[in-house]
Amino acid sequence: MEKLYFEIFFKKSIEYYIDKVEKFEKGKRISFNLPAFLFGIFWILYRKMYKQSLLIFGIILIFTTAQQILFLKLNYSIELNKLIQFSINITLCFFVGFFGNWIYIKHAKKKINEALTKFDSDEILKKKYIAKTSGTSILTVISVLFCFILIMYLSEK
């Protein structure tokens, strides 16, 4: 896959991610990404990986629901409940922190391959498609964060 397509995809973070792509091609799938670790699902949304964020949100929802069911059935302490929730959250942070770059590069490759397939002979359309499907979206992060806050507020009433 041409380096040019990755450069279009990664935009402002070209140097960082091109290095990761080269390491990925050599078989190194694990690397630490501090923003991914700190912001988790919001980093994934920021990087426009919507399917991946839905999958992780679904996993969080399943674990949280199972935790609440166990809390009610086994009647364990609130402290233990908080510890379990913290453990789930920190595990997710470490997963996204150490595998976020790999997930993002796989996402980039998929979007680039889509462009190459859809616009086989039109180089301009390939580049436009890659540019459109790449980059970041702070608006999505703000929107989702607002929805989370709204849901939490409404659930308290």
Side-chain angles (χ1 to χ4, degrees):
M1 200 170 290
E2 284 187 46
K3 187 176 177 180
L4 169 69
Y5 298 132
F6 283 112
E7 289 174 354
I8 294 167
F9 191 90
F10 296 130
K11 297 180 182 178
K12 295 176 185 173
S13 304
I14 293 170
E15 290 178 21
Y16 177 82
Y17 284 108
I18 291 297
D19 176 61
K20 299 300 177 195
V21 168
E22 290 168 359
K23 289 178 180 173
F24 179 84
E25 296 296 329
K26 293 176 184 173
K28 186 175 183 203
R29 304 275 196 278
I30 299 173
S31 64
F32 187 71
N33 184 313
L34 184 61
F37 174 78
L38 294 174
F39 300 107
I41 196 167
F42 295 105
W43 177 84
I44 293 170
L45 285 166
Y46 178 71
R47 291 282 169 196
K48 294 184 173 180
M49 294 187 285
Y50 304 125
K51 289 180 185 175
Q52 294 86 339
S53 64
L54 283 174
L55 176 66
I56 290 175
F57 182 71
I59 291 168
I60 292 169
L61 192 61
I62 289 168
F63 276 109
T64 303
T65 303
Q67 174 196 356
Q68 292 305 315
I69 290 169
L70 287 173
F71 176 69
L72 293 173
K73 291 210 181 240
L74 300 178
N75 200 23
Y76 54 81
S77 70
I78 292 175
E79 289 78 22
L80 181 59
N81 193 35
K82 288 179 181 180
L83 179 64
I84 292 169
Q85 186 63 49
F86 175 77
S87 300
I88 292 168
N89 290 340
I90 201 73
T91 301
L92 180 63
C93 288
F94 275 101
F95 176 79
V96 176
F98 281 100
F99 292 98
N101 288 332
W102 176 65
I103 294 166
Y104 189 47
I105 290 166
K106 283 184 68 169
H107 174 72
K109 284 183 166 192
K110 181 180 178 209
K111 292 299 179 183
I112 291 168
N113 281 329
E114 284 176 10
L116 298 176
T117 304
K118 280 184 177 183
F119 309 107
D120 186 35
S121 59
D122 192 332
E123 195 65 25
I124 293 170
L125 287 178
K126 284 179 201 174
K127 291 176 182 177
K128 282 184 178 180
Y129 182 84
I130 292 168
K132 182 183 176 195
T133 59
S134 65
T136 58
S137 174
I138 192 69
L139 183 61
T140 302
V141 173
I142 291 169
S143 300
V144 170
L145 190 56
F146 176 77
C147 289
F148 280 158
I149 291 168
L150 184 63
I151 289 168
M152 288 171 47
Y153 174 75
L154 294 175
S155 68
E156 293 294 319
K157 290 191 170 210

